[in-house]
Amino acid sequence: MSESDSKYSGRREDKRFITGQGSYTNDRNLPGQAHAIFRRSDRAHALIKAIDIEAAKASPGVIAIVTGKDIAQEGYTTLPPLQPPPGRGGMTVATPVRPPLALDKVRFAGEEVAIVVAETAAQARDAADLIEVEYEELEVLIGPARAMKGTVNLHDNIPGNLVFDYEYGDEKAVADLFARAAGTVTLDAESPRVAPTPMEIRSALVSYDEAKDIYEFISPNQGGPSFGHELSMMTGIPHEKIRVPMLDVGGAFGARTAPFPEYPVLMYLTKKLKRPIKWLSTRSEDFLTDNHGRAISLRGELAYDANGKFLAIRTEWLCDSGAYLAHAGVFTNSNNGRVIAAGAYSVEAFYGRHRQVMTNTAPTNAYRGAGRPEANYIIERLVDEAAAKLDMDPFELRRRNMLKKSQFPYKTLTGAMFDSADFHALVAKVKEECDWKGFAKRRRESRKNGKLRGIGSAVFIEPSGGGGMKKDEVAVVFEKDGGVTLYSVAGPSGQGHETVFPQLLAGWLGIDSGKVSLKAGDPDGPHLVGHAAIGSRSAFSQGSSYKIASDMIIDKAKKIAADELEASPGDIEFSNGVFTIAGTDRTMTMSKVVEKSCMMVPNPLDTIAAYGVSLAFPSGAHVVEVEIDADTGKVDVVRYTATDDIGNVLNQVLANGQISGGIVQGAGQVFGENCQYDETDGQLITGSFMDYCMPRAHLIPEVNLTNVVCPTPNNPLGVKGVGEAGTTGSMPACMNAVLNALRPVGVKHLDMPITPSRVWSAIDAAKSSAA
């Protein structure tokens, strides 16, 4: 690999994407395909009394119409939710049944009631509009607090709508420490419901090969093998009979991990009608039915002694699970809180309780961060509240309480094992980079210009990796033309897999990276098992598997080199792409060995390797400065500085892209994103980009990114996850900056989203209260 190639920092994928050469689901078509449209409920909670499809059946081009009763006998099942550890009193997650098409009741606006198949999408949509559904409306429960107090159960098997009650830590020890604390702070905070809104809307192209008895399901996903396995669980069709081809995916953020409940209906129809079925959602449908994120009400309490030393922390989470359970929502909103617990700080006791509640809203699921942002958010907000109460520099209070590098690996009070971190180095670096000492001067300058200026910080740690399977397999195949093809199961959706994995393997083997390509989730490639691209895990799980594969390839290549050099394999050394007989100048390059191997059948260098499941804990320290126009409430982020520990950095440009994207996604939630339902009828009132405030490029004009490197001992590469770190750090840092700006004018509390109207109203209320 050339020097310039080894330092290549761009992405191979970029040219394809920015020139419109990407191949997404909606770009695919099959001969004879028909088009499907779902008729969705316009009620949030109602009994289905009757469905009249006669007018729709007579509509031009209609091929078939299916309702829930038509497929009830097919035996399709609900994808079971991931189970967290046992909850309060040994409680386990109760699974509500979600039929692919509603049977006797609808439970949120947008739920699937029927499907129409027609010759064209327009004909299918026209016919779907003609379906008449008679409803008997029921009480609508919006928000967990109301659902827990209501007299109506959304599901018969979930009394009181409480689907899971989870606790961890030592409740009594915390209470005792609070009783003797010198001071305490209490904070209620909201993490509002958000829509994932990937650029690519949901879609599917499904076909059935009767001769081979094979289904092909083309759809955006985060890992084809995992996606196909879960389709098998839902339909009862053996997973080896379901092909999920590789394709480009226009964003995911957790919303493209598992198949959606209506997907088995498409498989049913393609087999019954003996035609491929294509379905394309709309942006409005995605707002209604994509699994949402967040929707958590938080309460935190922090107790400290006379010197500002933290004694105990108590947190409560009230989580809105929606009308049904998505695959990972309950798990991530329970377990990640336990794993993170007190975060970067040493405390004597910790207690957390999470309640997951069913409501008449779209289900919530793992969304970029998946409980990590909330776990760190409530802790970091509490620390800033304590610093304000003690009139202490927030970083000084953190310094007194942060874990030390020498304490790692560190077993937390709630049973997690943090692998490595250096919080003090992170803070020192970010303070230098953001010019923390110069803030007072910048605040005075802003005041002269009639602006309120605030600074906020956050120090965090989060888990990455893990998963339910025991290993992540990869394959390296040496082609006859001299190319090298990599195979893995995790499906990229913007991370840069096509760039980084070929770079890594080429570097380890000392070959030209231009000859190495990646095929992720290719059903025609070697059979592999492993996880989807979730949990900020792909770089170190798939990457470690490729490292193991490269070591195996080098060992096998030594034998070929030894034969060519007429030496014993034990005398062969390898370095920088060259095999050498020890103590001589006789050599053979890896490239020549590869050429030689390509003449052999089978190629002895072809390798399948696996790395077992592990966790790694990235961490970081972020600092944000904002300016606020008190007359309008407008907030501008004027400086953003982030120092992150993601272990050894494989590709700095790709890592910075992931962190920057996460920062903007977290800031987007702080400054605008919010899925709102009408509390009287359960209608989504932010169901388009006219009403739902997406972050724009100017939200965070510039980000100053730096690293502190603490390699993890938990994988061969020493790397940690990076995909969710930006989101985890930006939410508390942005909110702390806003509150820091507003405290001098009397505003003591404000919740996300921080919109100009909310800020102006808070300032006005503070003025009125002071008058």
Side-chain angles (χ1 to χ4, degrees), residues 395 430 434 436 439 442 453-458 621-627 635-642 663 667 670-671 699-700 729-738 740:
F395 269 138
V430 81
C434 77
W436 182 265
F439 171 71
R442 294 191 294 276
R453 194 178 187 107
I455 192 167
S457 58
H622 290 199
V623 174
V624 180
E625 286 186 43
V626 298
E627 274 193 338
V635 181
D636 290 314
V637 177
V638 292
R639 294 165 72 104
Y640 198 111
T641 309
I663 285 170
V670 171
F671 293 110
L699 177 62
I700 308 286
S730 63
M731 284 171 54
C734 287
M735 278 300 297
N736 282 338
V738 170
N740 181 261

Side-chain angles (χ1 to χ4, degrees), residues 70-77 234-235 268:
D70 296 326
I71 58 168
Q73 75 283 357
E74 295 299 317
Y76 298 143
T77 61
M234 298 167 74
T235 61
Y268 166 82

